[in-house]
Amino acid sequence: MDSLTQIVLGAAVGEAVLGKKIGNKAMLYGAIAGTIPDLDVLASNFTDTVTVLEMHRGFTHSILFSIIFAPIFGWLVSKYQSYKDFKGWTLLFFWGFLTHPLLDAFTTWGTQLFWPLDYRVAFKSIFVIDPLYTLPFIVFLLLTMCKKRTSKKRSFYNKMGLILSTSYLMLTLILKWVTYTKFENALKEQHIAYSEIDTRPSPMNTVLWNANVNTKDSFLLGTYSLFDSQPITFESRPKNHELIDTIKENDKMQRMIHISKGWYSISVRENELFFNDLRFGLMSLDSEAEDFVFQYKIQINNNGLLQFSETKKGRDDAQKLMKELWTRIKGN
């Protein structure tokens, strides 16, 4: 999830653990704990694109990280804060660290919760930015901050924020099941043979859902809004996997294919090859669009080594997509 959401969740968790004893300081340290796992993004300054993608939401988002580093941070903070309870601080950091990847597990990218096992937990039921999750949470957190640490209302407001946000996460799983069934039925009705379906919500909502469908020669892309009245239609995108036959066995290419879980296509633009990770969709709802959210230019550097560089997206691209999404959310 986005940084603001993780800060809010961390603050609420910190309050739940130590709010009655140290007041708003619990929120501050909870917010810090909720931010620390995302420091893995600093790896982008020291290594290549493929390695960064492999590391993202890896060790720092694992149960093991929470177990190892919670007592370390708990000990450090207990040394210079007036509240000296090592156990209390350790619990605050442990739950701050752990709830961060648990929330991330509901997103499309998921998280290596069980690192060092090479397995990502990804429920794919919520977009990384979802106002319906975050905004009510912020309201209750602000109400909590305004009350004295001994106030019963303070505890009530914080619990309500945690309960509502968690309930919304559970609702997203139900919506995923409902919409998955809709896509599955549409494929059956249209007599489309496929091997796998991958579904996820579109940006910033859980009303409009996207599906990738794996068929023998192509991927089918579909959308479904809870307000739709017309049948679901699918658009075909060629896999073009043969375009990388000469480099497919390259270590970095194999790693990229593994990262994408096989949901990738290859496209050509101006005689250059691009690796498209289909799991995160397109920057446009246009039927002819080829600008995938995560698209990487495939290059061979001067030393003959394979490299991937992510294509840049501009603010105009995002604004265009949001307008199209708003129109599509209202139904077909």
Side-chain angles (χ1 to χ4, degrees), residues 1-3 5-6 9 34 37-38 40 56-57 60-61 97-113 121-128 133 169:
M1 297 292 285
D2 64 285
S3 297
T5 301
Q6 292 291 7
L9 174 61
D38 275 342
D40 61 358
H56 184 47
R57 296 188 186 172
T60 62
H61 287 65
F97 291 157
L98 186 59
T99 52
H100 179 123
L102 287 176
L103 177 56
D104 278 345
F106 284 81
T107 67
T108 298
W109 190 265
T111 179
Q112 287 182 268
L113 197 61
V121 180
F123 301 123
K124 303 180 183 181
S125 66
I126 193 170
F127 189 68
V128 291
Y133 178 89
L169 281 181

Side-chain angles (χ1 to χ4, degrees), residues 33-44:
T35 302
I36 286 173
D38 275 342
L39 293 180
D40 61 358
V41 299
L42 297 176
S44 62

